[in-house]
Amino acid sequence: MRELVWERGRAQLGVLAAVLAVMIAGSALVGACVLLTTASPQRALQLAMVHAPDPDVQVSVALGFPEDPNDSSIDARIAATARDASAAVAQASSMLTKPFGALPTTLTTWTSTVMEYLPDTGDALRLGYLAELDDRDARGTLTAGRWPTAPGEVALPASSAQALRLPVGSTTSLAATGGGQGAELHVVGTFVPRPAAAWDEDPLDGTGIGPNYRGYISAYGPFVVAPGQLAVSGVPLRRVTLRAQPDLTHASAAELTRAGAAVNALSGDLSSALGGLTQNLVVDRPYQRTLDDARLQRGVTGSGVLAVALMGGALAATTVVLAARLVAARRAPEAALLTARGTSRSRLVAQAAVEAGALVLLCVVPATLLALLLYRLLADAVGLGPTGVPEDGIVPLVAVVALVSLVLGCLLVLPWLRSGSPRGTREDRVGVVARSGADLLLIALAVLAYFQLRDHGISAGATADPVLVVAPVLCLLAGAALTLRPLPLLARRADARAASSRSLALPLAAWGVARRRQGAAAAFLMVLATACATFGVGFAATWSQSQRDQAAATVGTDLSVPARLDALGAGAAIRTATGGRVSPVTSRVVTLGSRVQRGDGVRLVAVDTRDADALLRGRPSSGTWSDTTAGLAPTGPVGGVQLTGTSADLVVTGRVEDRVPMNADLSLVVQDADGARAGLPAGTVPLDGAPHPLAVAVPAGVRLVGVNARLTAVGDAGDPDQQSSTDVTIDVMVHGATLPAGGTWSVALTPSDDYVVASLDRITAAEVPGGVRLTLDGSASLPGIYWSDGVLTALAFTPVEQVPVVVSRRLADDLGLKVGQGVQLKLDLTPVIARVRAITDYVPSQPRAAALLADVDTLSRAALTQGSLTTLTDAWWVGGTIPAGAAETLEAQGLGPATERSAVAQESADGPLRAGLRAAAALLVVAAIALALVGTALHSTTALEARELDVARLHGLGAPRRSVLASVLTEQAVFTGVPLLAGGLLGALACWAIGPLLAVSAQGLAPVPPAVVRWPMTLQAGIVVALLLGCAALVVPLAARAVRRATIAQLRMDAAS
Amino acid sequence: MSAEPVDAAAAGARPGSAAREPGAAVQVRGVHRTFGRGRSAVHALRGVDLDVSPGELVALVGRSGSGKTTLLNLVGGLDRPDQGTVLVDGVDVAALGDDEQAELRRDRVAFVFQTFGLMPVLTAAENVGIPLRLRVAPVAERERRVELLLDLVGLAPHALQRPDELSGGQQQRVAIARALAGSPRLLVADEPTGQLDTETGLSVMALIRGVVEAEGMTALVATHDPLMIALADRAVRLVDGRLVGDA
């Protein structure tokens, strides 16, 4: 038997080499995909972690202590630690850095004390606190003096120093009780917190001032002490935060994984060790989240790659089945002879198995090498960098390749297992029924998989999702089977028409197409391969576009920069750096109606909607963003007072009709050129009829758009039962200012449901020599003004009582909101009525959140109307083409970190954790084309060899060779062309039907906005044309050779055939 | 060498065979045909001369390898002689180009092969219609003629069956019907009964004899079947590529 197999193999070397090539290609394709799902993700994970922003790979622990450790209810150990936390800090430091092992890790510490009272100045209580910074230069820039170095020395934020009138060289103190005596603090420096540095731990978020921090008591600080001095200051600790920042530049995948496991256990370990020493302990593990997120992305990408591997495997299997059938058909006479001479079927099967086994053995090594080569090429192409042998070694790869080769080898034996031999050209009924049943089963499975995919939330895990992997393959296989169904019907029509034709060539082709049975397997392969190739490019384009759309929806604009602490005027610097359309943006969690604010609470995004299309990115539900946001922007102009220079020089003169002693704490609301507004404290003046100069530092070019005076009575109320009111007049002379044309000054709304302590009746603005005079005429209630502050607020625009908003579909569904409905939202504590103007699928930058979109100007006016001076500028958005390097420029100016839509899109589509999918899709396209051509070559060679006898017969009957060639070519053109075109259509259909369902987010969620089909028509048509041309290049010479070789000798041998 | 016509009666020819027309339908002169070269060369024909009169049914007799098929192929324009001339209806077949030879087979010479030569994917009727399609005959005329010929060979009920659904004798009848479809002047048959049993072979030979008479055509039939020889007007014998006289 071995001799027969050997000799036959030698005689049929060509066809066996082709079969071997198909097996190698198929096994290598699957092997490369497996590497992309195993070795590549390890590398991708490594790259993703290495390139992640520092905050995303930190680990931190915050130790919280009670406000009053002397309280008897406080545990003694906690109280002791609050006074001296050095041991706890040392232990936490050790535990925090331990997970990173030998990786270089930087530990930073924030330590701050409880709030204590600043010296009483007679008007209002004020709080302050101490802090110790371990890297002072990184956290702040000195504006005056120096950093403290000795006991009792402090440095404080410039804003605190200005508000408290504590210049360098001055002294103050902090006491545990109001009016108490505390240790003296010498101010030796002032600084501006650096925006890039984390001030999250600071109770005042680095602003230096916390108005109404505790009720109406404002807080100031931190008062930064010299290193090591906090422990001896005698002020109890309130908060200690330790942050470990590993340097992952040279971390291996294994180290990252080990660190991940250790970090995962950190919460429990720290709680066990330090839980009893602190009032609360919070462990934050961005490292773990980033690692988990990366693993999730790896799982989602892996699912896609495995789906591609499965498609490639199916293609290879189809090609091998075709090859096996062709080989069996070629050997049918030999098999018949052997059978006639007594050879049993099992022996024929054994011969085929021996041959298949030899091919499997020959396949494994080259397929493994080819898989490694393909993987290296792909990994390099998608930016995973140089990749050597996978970390797990090549044994798993060899095992996979061997398994695939074995499966393909088994397919080679299949035709020999079928009982009976093909006898006639008419299909036997049993075969037809069996195939129909298999097709129906396949279609049923595909329909099931499709609906599963459509309704599917992709399983969010680090492993491949079975639906995502199997559904596309089933759909394509079923589609290919279904596509072939109508072809025989069409062929039969052509057959019927052939009967009524006078000539021979075309009818002969039609008869060949309709009646020869060997075309089915080849046609199936052609349909499937073309469908895979066109689907591959279509899906890749759809997927990439969806990632870009998702990135656009996530960022919301072209470039986003978080607003730094002093937001005013930053827009100009951003505009200079980017050249784009700049808008201040409010983006924060708000309380909406009765909805409880949670971690994923309602997000409010407010942006300048007057030019929404230039600013907002992400595909809206319908129309444009301008359409969606129509009606959100305010209509009335903003007047105000145009300030000059960088200081607002004021002279404030206040009078109280009844000479009730009162002070006015004055704040100015200013607006920069980009519409960002902020309330700036101007200072406190007595309303004693005398002029009091005030100077407020302002960015250049800003406009005064509001004045707020908080009235407080000085002294006792006298007779509390005497109800009356007194007129209050405050003149604010703004030197060097001008009054722009247009705009009106208005009175902010007075809350209707509260007891009104003070109200503003009138505001007048007039340009006078030397500047602009603003006069606020109002009244204060007596004796209410002794119990509570009264607020007078004047605005340079018409008050806005309602904010029109666009709500996200999720929010509308959650709360049952409808267009036209009003709902109250609270910006911090300021209530604002929002009116639903439209519902959209999502709000830019908050694609999955329950969110509202408003106009930032309208929102700001509404908040000011309610008397809130808090700045609403949380970020800056820039629309337009962002020049390269703009983000770096902004960061260098301390305006970062900037988030660029293009960078996020690039990361989403081509980042190390995602690129594997596109690489696999490209591999599938190439493999599909190659296998289609190999299949065509195999089929055409065999089919045309078989046709030589027919050609000789026709020639003998007087048919010219040209005519016979035309007939053969027509038949082959139909055999290959129709399946190719049908496959192209199937690929397009699959792209339309399942492409968008497969384009999930990085986390495996349904994309927002929903994916839309992207048709790379040129590429898809190019693939079909290339396949047509490739097939033609194979078939035409083969057909010509078959016609040329058909001779009379074959007529003699007819019987043998 | 020239082979003289044998007496029909002496050769077992049927009495009352068709009257011969003046001038040869087939004239073969000094034909040589060698396959291969050198020591492996096979001299299939070595200076063959043969005249076949119009309407004559000539049996070409000889053992396997004697050159019968080669001679038939040369007459039918399927092959070209190395030397000598082959005239069919006065036309030098060897001098014709490929297309002209194909035209000759389409219009004047019809073949019946030992292996039938039917197209397996076509029905009996479609096979018979091939020569008419090659002539681009009107559909109605073609269908009429196919029906007539299938009726003539007794296969009208099997018109829609494919070759693999017919017996050997039926297949050869289809082949004969196909050969007649184009109304050829010359019928060339290469051992038409070679794969048939005696009874079937006899009926096929009778059919050939009948249609030759009915259609008034000339026939050159290679055979070593004595019954066929008996039905021929005359028989000539080929031995090692040479005509050696009457069979």
Side-chain angles (χ1 to χ4, degrees):
Chain A
M1 181 169 73
R2 272 185 307 180
E3 198 173 327
L4 172 67
V5 171
W6 173 252
E7 290 300 327
R8 191 175 58 190
R10 285 182 58 188
Q12 297 176 349
L13 199 57
V15 71
L16 290 181
V19 173
L20 181 62
V22 171
M23 290 174 68
I24 290 172
S27 304
L29 171 66
V30 176
C33 286
V34 167
L35 281 177
L36 282 172
T37 58
T38 53
S40 158
Q42 288 292 89
R43 172 74 177 149
L45 194 72
Q46 187 184 6
L47 287 176
M49 292 300 286
V50 167
H51 293 141
D54 283 352
D56 291 350
V57 290
Q58 291 176 345
V59 180
S60 69
V61 59
L63 313 177
F65 299 98
E67 191 69 47
D68 182 9
N70 297 321
D71 189 326
S72 58
S73 64
I74 301 297
D75 184 286
R77 292 171 65 206
I78 295 174
T81 311
R83 293 189 189 91
D84 181 6
S86 53
V89 169
Q91 189 171 7
S93 303
S94 165
M95 294 177 71
L96 215 53
T97 52
K98 191 177 173 187
F100 300 107
L103 295 173
T105 305
T106 307
L107 190 74
T108 55
T109 310
W110 165 278
T111 314
S112 58
T113 66
V114 298
M115 292 283 179
E116 295 206 326
Y117 290 91
L118 286 160
D120 187 358
T121 57
D123 48 358
L125 291 175
R126 294 168 305 176
L127 299 169
Y129 59 104
L130 303 178
E132 189 174 310
L133 308 181
D134 57 355
D135 191 356
R136 298 178 300 194
D137 288 325
R139 287 185 184 261
T141 306
L142 281 172
T143 53
R146 58 176 174 79
W147 291 109
T149 55
E153 290 183 347
V154 293
L156 70 162
S159 55
S160 304
Q162 185 181 19
L164 296 172
R165 295 198 173 86
L166 289 174
V168 172
S170 60
T171 60
T172 186
S173 64
L174 287 174
T177 55
Q181 194 63 40
E184 197 167 75
L185 303 172
H186 301 275
V187 177
V188 297
T190 59
F191 64 91
V192 174
R194 291 175 71 94
W199 281 86
D200 298 342
E201 301 92 343
D202 182 30
L204 302 184
D205 296 326
T207 58
I209 302 172
N212 312 325
Y213 178 80
R214 187 181 295 162
Y216 281 116
I217 305 177
S218 299
Y220 302 85
F223 290 77
V224 177
V225 300
Q229 291 305 307
L230 207 56
V232 296
S233 67
V235 184
L237 296 180
R238 175 68 169 152
R239 183 183 178 93
V240 178
T241 304
L242 298 105
R243 197 176 296 274
Q245 177 72 57
D247 178 2
L248 304 177
T249 311
H250 303 294
S252 69
E255 282 176 318
L256 292 169
T257 307
R258 272 199 302 276
V263 167
N264 202 24
L266 201 57
S267 258
D269 295 347
L270 280 166
S271 293
S272 303
L274 301 173
L277 303 178
T278 62
Q279 190 179 41
N280 54 59
L281 184 143
V282 178
V283 180
D284 192 18
R285 297 169 300 164
Y287 180 94
Q288 191 62 39
R289 285 197 296 275
T290 306
L291 191 65
D292 290 345
D293 191 50
R295 283 176 173 153
L296 191 61
Q297 289 190 45
R298 182 179 66 176
V300 173
T301 304
S303 300
V305 175
L306 280 182
V308 168
L310 209 55
M311 280 187 234
L315 267 177
T318 308
T319 314
V320 169
V321 166
L322 170 67
R325 290 175 68 167
L326 296 177
V327 169
R330 179 177 277 201
R331 292 177 180 172
E334 173 197 307
L337 181 64
L338 289 171
T339 305
R341 296 186 63 178
T343 305
S344 66
R345 173 158 297 279
S346 59
R347 192 165 178 78
L348 291 177
V349 171
Q351 284 177 2
V354 168
E355 190 175 74
L359 288 175
V360 169
L361 290 176
L362 287 173
C363 173
V364 174
V365 173
T368 304
L369 295 175
L370 184 58
L372 275 170
L373 179 67
L374 284 173
Y375 166 63
R376 290 194 64 166
L377 289 173
L378 288 172
D380 214 26
V382 300
L384 291 176
T387 47
V389 174
E391 281 190 21
D392 298 339
I394 62 164
V395 174
L397 172 65
V398 173
V400 168
V401 168
L403 183 66
V404 176
S405 304
L406 188 64
V407 170
L408 296 179
C410 290
L411 294 176
L412 283 174
V413 186
L414 273 185
W416 301 97
L417 296 174
R418 293 177 63 187
S419 59
S421 56
R423 47 176 291 277
T425 51
R426 292 185 201 273
E427 293 179 274
D428 60 289
R429 195 169 296 276
V430 176
V432 170
V433 171
R435 265 212 309 284
S436 300
D439 285 358
L440 279 176
L441 182 65
L442 191 59
I443 289 162
L445 286 172
V447 169
L448 195 67
Y450 172 76
F451 283 109
Q452 192 73 6
L453 192 62
R454 206 184 61 169
D455 302 334
H456 186 48
I458 302 301
S459 65
T463 53
D465 182 276
V467 174
L468 201 60
V469 171
V470 173
V473 184
L474 280 176
C475 289
L476 280 172
L477 283 172
L482 208 57
T483 304
L484 288 177
R485 284 282 154 184
L487 296 186
L489 298 176
L490 294 173
R492 274 200 277 279
R493 283 186 67 98
D495 186 333
R497 287 185 67 85
S500 59
S501 169
R502 292 173 65 173
S503 65
L504 181 65
L506 289 179
L508 205 57
W511 285 325
V513 169
R515 301 177 187 181
R516 285 182 210 282
R517 56 182 303 185
Q518 79 277 10
F524 184 80
L525 172 65
M526 299 302 293
V527 170
L528 187 62
T530 315
C532 281
T534 50
F535 171 74
V537 295
F539 167 65
T542 300
W543 183 86
S544 293
Q545 183 59 48
S546 177
Q547 301 311 311
R548 285 194 289 273
D549 288 346
Q550 291 178 64
T554 302
V555 178
T557 187
D558 288 316
L559 182 140
S560 164
V561 185
R564 61 183 186 185
L565 306 173
D566 46 347
L568 279 181
I574 295 169
R575 193 168 38 255
T576 304
T578 61
R581 169 79 168 81
V582 177
S583 166
V585 172
T586 303
S587 178
R588 58 180 67 174
V589 174
V590 295
T591 306
L592 190 64
S594 59
R595 189 184 173 106
V596 178
Q597 183 174 329
R598 302 188 308 260
D600 62 343
V602 178
R603 300 286 308 199
L604 170 68
V605 176
V607 63
D608 186 350
T609 59
R610 286 169 302 187
D611 199 5
D613 286 337
L615 207 56
L616 299 180
R617 293 293 174 264
R619 189 157 35 80
S621 317
S622 60
T624 63
W625 283 115
S626 288
D627 300 335
T628 306
T629 59
L632 301 190
T635 49
V638 176
V641 176
Q642 184 64 51
L643 304 177
T644 54
T646 57
S647 175
D649 296 321
L650 314 175
V651 175
V652 181
T653 309
R655 286 175 295 277
V656 182
E657 185 190 26
D658 297 333
R659 295 187 180 279
V660 175
M662 280 189 210
N663 287 340
D665 189 3
L666 214 64
S667 294
L668 305 182
V669 179
V670 295
Q671 171 183 318
D672 69 11
D674 294 292
R677 295 180 184 132
L680 303 177
T684 305
V685 295
L687 303 182
D688 55 4
H692 297 277
L694 292 174
V696 182
V698 294
V702 298
R703 183 188 293 193
L704 176 64
V705 296
V707 176
N708 174 278
R710 180 175 294 280
L711 306 180
T712 53
V714 180
D716 293 330
D719 182 2
D721 296 328
Q722 187 182 351
Q723 302 282 327
S724 64
S725 71
T726 183
D727 291 339
V728 178
T729 301
I730 302 174
D731 277 338
V732 180
M733 177 65 191
V734 188
H735 286 285
T738 56
L739 204 58
T744 55
W745 281 85
S746 311
V747 175
L749 289 186
T750 304
S752 57
D753 53 348
D754 290 340
Y755 175 68
V756 178
V757 175
S759 62
L760 180 63
D761 301 324
R762 189 173 63 251
I763 166 76
T764 54
E767 216 167 66
V768 295
V772 172
R773 181 186 302 280
L774 297 172
T775 305
L776 286 74
D777 292 313
S779 60
S781 299
L782 295 172
I785 193 69
Y786 287 97
W787 302 331
S788 178
D789 292 354
V791 179
L792 309 177
T793 305
L795 304 170
F797 48 82
T798 307
V800 172
E801 296 184 45
Q802 290 189 349
V803 179
V805 293
V806 175
V807 301
S808 69
R809 178 94 44 209
R810 179 180 160 191
L811 181 60
D813 292 344
D814 280 2
L815 299 185
L817 292 176
K818 303 219 171 354
V819 172
Q821 199 171 340
V823 62
Q824 188 186 66
L825 64 85
K826 280 194 174 173
L827 285 165
D828 297 329
L829 295 173
T830 306
V832 173
I833 299 297
R835 180 78 56 189
V836 179
R837 191 171 182 91
I839 295 171
T840 185
D841 280 351
Y842 70 96
V843 167
S845 80
Q846 303 298 329
R848 297 183 192 281
L852 307 106
L853 178 64
D855 182 86
V856 71
D857 189 6
T858 310
L859 184 72
S860 169
R861 292 190 198 192
L864 288 169
T865 299
Q866 296 296 331
S868 171
L869 306 188
T870 309
T871 181
L872 296 180
T873 305
D874 299 321
W876 292 95
W877 282 12
V878 185
T881 306
I882 307 298
E888 290 75 14
T889 305
L890 289 172
E891 289 191 29
Q893 294 175 359
L895 289 168
T899 305
E900 270 190 273
R901 178 180 60 83
S902 58
V904 174
Q906 172 85 8
E907 183 68 19
S908 300
D910 301 317
L913 287 166
R914 314 302 310 281
L917 188 57
R918 289 210 310 140
L923 188 59
L924 174 68
V925 173
V926 173
I929 292 173
L931 288 174
L933 292 177
V934 170
T936 302
L938 278 170
H939 166 256
S940 299
T941 305
T942 310
L944 290 170
E945 277 178 6
R947 295 296 309 280
E948 285 178 15
L949 190 57
D950 280 352
V951 173
R953 287 167 182 151
L954 289 168
H955 196 51
L957 291 171
R961 287 186 190 272
R962 272 198 316 278
S963 168
V964 177
L965 180 61
S967 172
V968 170
L969 283 178
T970 305
E971 183 182 329
Q972 292 302 313
V974 173
F975 261 135
T976 52
V978 171
L980 273 177
L981 295 174
L985 289 176
L986 174 64
L989 181 68
C991 196
W992 171 76
I994 59 175
L997 302 179
L998 297 172
V1000 294
S1001 76
Q1003 287 73 35
L1005 301 171
V1008 177
V1012 291
V1013 182
R1014 184 89 170 169
W1015 303 101
M1017 289 288 195
T1018 311
L1019 196 53
Q1020 287 178 318
I1023 285 174
V1024 175
V1025 169
L1027 276 171
L1028 281 170
L1029 292 176
C1031 291
L1034 288 168
V1035 170
V1036 170
L1038 286 171
R1041 192 185 68 160
V1043 171
R1044 201 170 51 246
R1045 285 189 357 169
T1047 63
I1048 49 168
Q1050 285 166 305
L1051 292 178
R1052 283 180 180 162
M1053 300 298 290
D1054 195 349
S1057 308
Chain B
M1 183 192 301
S2 168
E4 291 298 320
V6 296
D7 180 73
R14 273 181 17 154
S17 57
R20 291 169 191 151
E21 293 175 14
V26 177
Q27 191 177 62
V28 179
R29 289 289 179 271
V31 165
H32 290 257
R33 183 71 174 103
T34 302
F35 297 102
R37 288 181 179 179
R39 295 177 63 183
S40 61
V42 175
H43 301 284
L45 296 176
R46 308 168 189 236
V48 172
D49 295 328
L50 174 66
D51 287 306
V52 181
S53 302
E56 188 179 23
L57 194 163
V58 176
L60 193 57
V61 182
R63 298 173 61 182
S64 291
S66 61
K68 300 190 296 293
T69 300
T70 303
L71 182 56
L72 293 185
N73 287 340
L74 291 173
V75 170
L78 289 172
D79 196 4
R80 294 174 195 279
D82 298 325
Q83 192 181 329
T85 58
V86 179
L87 301 180
V88 175
D89 275 349
V91 176
D92 186 354
V93 177
L96 297 176
D98 269 0
D99 288 349
E100 288 162 321
Q101 284 190 339
E103 204 173 310
L104 176 81
R105 291 193 296 278
R106 187 189 68 193
D107 295 336
R108 301 187 193 185
V109 181
F111 271 91
V112 173
F113 301 105
Q114 177 182 354
T115 52
F116 322 134
L118 299 179
M119 302 288 286
V121 296
L122 305 188
T123 63
E126 287 162 351
N127 265 293
V128 173
I130 288 176
L132 297 164
R133 282 181 178 273
L134 287 171
R135 290 178 168 191
V136 200
V139 176
E141 180 190 322
R142 184 184 75 218
E143 288 177 349
R144 202 167 44 248
R145 179 118 178 108
V146 167
E147 193 179 338
L148 181 73
L149 288 168
L150 284 175
D151 194 40
L152 177 70
V153 299
L155 286 176
H158 301 281
L160 298 180
Q161 287 181 292
R162 294 192 194 166
D164 65 319
E165 296 163 336
L166 299 171
S167 69
Q170 287 172 324
Q171 288 186 53
Q172 194 59 293
R173 285 167 182 270
V174 173
I176 291 168
R178 185 180 64 184
L180 299 177
S183 304
R185 303 284 299 274
L186 172 65
L187 177 68
V188 177
D190 187 2
E191 303 213 28
T193 61
Q195 294 200 1
L196 305 178
D197 58 64
T198 307
E199 190 179 344
T200 308
L202 193 59
S203 72
V204 166
M205 285 186 294
L207 176 63
I208 291 174
R209 175 76 257 178
V211 296
V212 165
E213 285 181 8
E215 300 281 329
M217 65 176 66
T218 307
L220 184 57
V221 181
T223 183
H224 46 244
D225 188 332
L227 292 172
M228 186 74 238
I229 297 167
L231 285 173
D233 292 327
R234 66 188 171 103
V236 293
R237 180 178 298 276
L238 266 170
V239 177
D240 292 337
R242 294 189 178 87
L243 279 177
V244 296
D246 302 342

